[in-house]
Amino acid sequence: MVLSTTYMVRKALCLIAWSIALDVPATVATLTTDVGIHVIHSYPGATPPQSLLDLTAQGKVGGIIIFGENVNSNLPATIAKFQSAYLKSPGSSPSTPLLIMTDQEGGLVRRLPGGPYSSEKQIGQSANPTQAATTAGDQAASALKAQKNNANLAPVLEVFRKPGDFMDKDQRSYSNVASVAAACGAAFIKEQQALGILATAKHFPGLGSASATQNTDAAPVTLGLSLSEIRSVDEVPFQQAIAAEVKMVMPSWALYPALDPKYPSGLSSKWIQGELRGRLGYAGVTVSDAIEAGGLRAFGNDANRAVLASQAGMDLILAAGRNTTQGKAVGDALVKAVIDGTIDRGAFDAATQRILAIRNGLGA
């Protein structure tokens, strides 16, 4: 998407006025709002704090992730408040609303009321898995629309290896057969996105070989698969998701020494730029898993991790700790890193355009 001249002029004028009012250089003001587009915030409980709404009005929030504790009968009204606050921010446009996302995978993992009622494993084992996955995509879209969400952090595209392993124990994997997982994932993506809800293929290049106790949310995980196995098994569903024009891909926080022995996938330019974008040809948005995950304990605090992820090619940073200062700290670190050249400005601007492209036309 190429943003309209009118949009860019309006943003420039708003930022000049804002920078004068706050006595901030216009270039810093512009960068601050551009960085805001990259950060997904979270909050505790059912009522967001005024401080988060204020940050949204300042252009420092790119979206909100919704958890179960945020959900009550007032959630649609709460999201409307966020979107109204966003429209007060410099250069905002009704055509590019905030990303409001959640995990509505199906089965046990559903943050919002409604479907998908079947788990991914139940879908993969059904008589017609592709049709069942299409139905799940429809149910997910309906659930998200009812709660004014516009992006789903689903489907999970792992190819599990053994019954009861990490991705199988909660039935989050369609199948231990790559072609089945690929067909189901693509069907879910196509149906959900056709109904106006963004889909996310996760967790690239795959956590299907993780044992029952290997959880990147809690601790570092290393998966010692050969590159040949990763490409012939784990990446197959992601290839089909890319063919289905999935709007977002979430890399995992696991370490895959076969390609990068130093950095987990989500912090690795070898995985994001080389494998995902280069070899597989993905041109959409990358979104991180929770930046506070225990799997990243060797990589500093959340702000440092966000800078490393952005350097590697991560477009959206998910500050999911439900700590309302977390997202601001991440944004501030990204601003500093772009200013001092730690993050390449050209690459960062290209990521900004990718994010705005998927936001363009979403219903607020």
Side-chain angles (χ1 to χ4, degrees), residues 39 74 195 228 324:
V39 185
N74 293 324
L195 295 171
S228 175
T324 54

Side-chain angles (χ1 to χ4, degrees), residues 105 120-121 123 133 152-161 167-168 171-190 199-209 230 232-252 256 276 280 282:
E105 299 171 8
E120 288 200 6
K121 187 171 186 178
I123 289 169
N152 193 3
L153 298 175
V156 174
L157 294 186
E158 266 68 30
V159 182
F160 79 90
R161 299 303 201 273
M167 296 311 302
D168 180 62
Q171 301 193 1
R172 296 175 68 202
S173 169
Y174 288 116
S175 179
N176 60 356
V177 178
S179 60
V180 174
C184 290
F188 182 99
I189 289 163
K190 289 177 182 177
T200 309
K202 65 183 187 184
H203 309 80
F204 181 82
L207 293 169
S209 63
I230 292 171
S232 63
V233 178
D234 297 278
E235 287 187 3
V236 171
F238 291 95
Q239 292 171 345
Q240 291 300 309
I242 292 168
E245 300 183 350
V246 69
K247 299 300 184 183
M248 296 190 289
V249 170
M250 176 184 286
S252 91
Y256 305 84
L276 180 61
L280 299 185
Y282 180 63

Side-chain angles (χ1 to χ4, degrees), residues 62-95:
I64 303 292
I65 180 170
I66 300 299
F67 290 94
E69 68 183 80
N70 307 134
V71 179
N72 64 12
S73 60
N74 293 324
L75 181 60
T78 297
I79 291 173
K81 289 181 180 179
F82 276 116
Q83 298 291 8
S84 295
Y86 158 70
L87 289 175
K88 298 175 184 177
S89 66
S92 61
S93 169
S95 67

Side-chain angles (χ1 to χ4, degrees), residues 265-286:
S265 173
L267 301 182
S268 170
S269 61
K270 292 180 180 179
W271 279 111
I272 297 174
Q273 303 287 9
E275 189 76 359
L276 180 61
R277 295 203 185 280
R279 199 180 81 85
L280 299 185
Y282 180 63
V285 168
T286 51

Side-chain angles (χ1 to χ4, degrees), residues 153 249-251 253 266 286-291 309 314-319:
L153 298 175
V249 170
M250 176 184 286
W253 289 142
T286 51
V287 55
S288 82
D289 206 340
I291 202 67
M314 195 72 74
D315 298 337
L316 288 168
I317 305 297
L318 189 56

